[in-house]
Amino acid sequence: MRTYRTVNLNVLWFIIALNVLIFIITLIRPEETIYFLGLRPASLSQHPWAIISSMFVHGSVWHILFNMISLYFLGSFFIRAAGERNFLAVFFLGGLAGNILFALLANPFSTGIGASGAVFALGGALAVMVPRVPVFIFFIPIPVPLWVAIIIFFLLSFLPNIAWQAHLGGLLLGLIAGLIFRRRRRVYYF
């Protein structure tokens, strides 16, 4: 990707570092961290901060690795396309929308953790803003349009132990955000 303006990715690196820091804490004290920061619909009134904090908690090395790689690529692309403030808005509102849908549709005693609702919001917005941008998916040897990649990853959300509700909520918010940004007819340099 080529861009002619200077891009500052500090906010993206800060969010990634915060996720890694909380993951390290989770490795040291897993039950306490997930209990205190994870989103459990049945106990949301006792832990209202979990609607946001759960976006920064991950349960395994693969969970955080996949989410942070996706966050880096989609986030850096989104920042170049729409700026830092819009990135932060879509990231947090997408994560919030995903967590709200999780709280409404998931088993009340299940626990939701991870940044994937926020990541799906970024992917959904980009899929509307620049749908034909070619991307590589690690298990497909040729580039596919971004919108196809987002659909593939959303379908994978229905595998066991994945919070499809959070992915759907984030994706829906991202699609709406993408329409808003696209209507502004901003010039993208890619």
Side-chain angles (χ1 to χ4, degrees):
M1 173 175 48
R2 286 180 285 202
T3 182
Y4 298 103
R5 53 188 176 132
T6 306
V7 177
N8 184 344
L9 298 179
N10 287 343
V11 69
L12 177 62
W13 284 116
F14 177 78
I15 290 173
I16 290 171
L18 182 59
N19 275 276
V20 170
L21 175 64
I22 293 174
F23 180 68
I24 292 168
I25 293 168
T26 306
L27 288 175
I28 297 166
R29 306 291 297 225
E31 292 175 16
E32 295 91 340
T33 306
I34 291 172
Y35 173 78
F36 188 70
L37 299 177
L39 175 61
R40 196 169 311 97
S43 61
L44 186 56
S45 62
Q46 289 87 23
H47 297 155
W49 58 84
I51 201 84
I52 297 293
S53 65
S54 62
M55 293 190 308
F56 299 96
V57 181
H58 292 82
S60 71
V61 171
W62 293 110
H63 189 203
I64 192 166
L65 186 65
F66 189 75
N67 273 347
M68 293 305 102
I69 289 171
S70 301
L71 176 59
Y72 174 76
F73 285 108
L74 293 171
S76 61
F77 193 178
F78 190 92
I79 289 170
R80 286 177 176 87
E84 276 184 9
R85 288 189 331 177
N86 291 328
F87 162 77
L88 285 170
V90 170
F91 179 84
F92 281 105
L93 291 174
L96 184 62
N99 284 345
I100 289 170
L101 211 55
F102 179 81
L104 292 173
L105 300 177
N107 177 331
F109 300 101
S110 61
T111 303
I113 55 174
S116 53
V119 171
F120 264 97
L122 296 169
L126 287 169
V128 172
M129 294 162 58
V130 287
R132 291 194 259 335
V133 167
V135 296
F136 283 95
I137 301 174
F138 63 93
F139 51 83
I140 298 176
I142 58 170
V144 298
L146 179 62
W147 70 270
V148 172
I150 298 301
I151 289 173
I152 289 169
F153 284 113
F154 181 68
L155 292 174
L156 292 174
S157 298
F158 295 98
L159 292 172
N161 298 318
I162 296 179
W164 63 267
Q165 305 90 337
H167 294 185
L168 177 61
L171 180 60
L172 291 174
L173 184 122
L175 294 172
I176 292 167
L179 287 171
I180 292 168
F181 293 127
R182 189 169 160 175
R183 285 191 181 148
R184 291 182 183 170
R185 299 183 195 278
R186 187 170 180 160
V187 177
Y188 303 107
Y189 300 97
F190 302 108

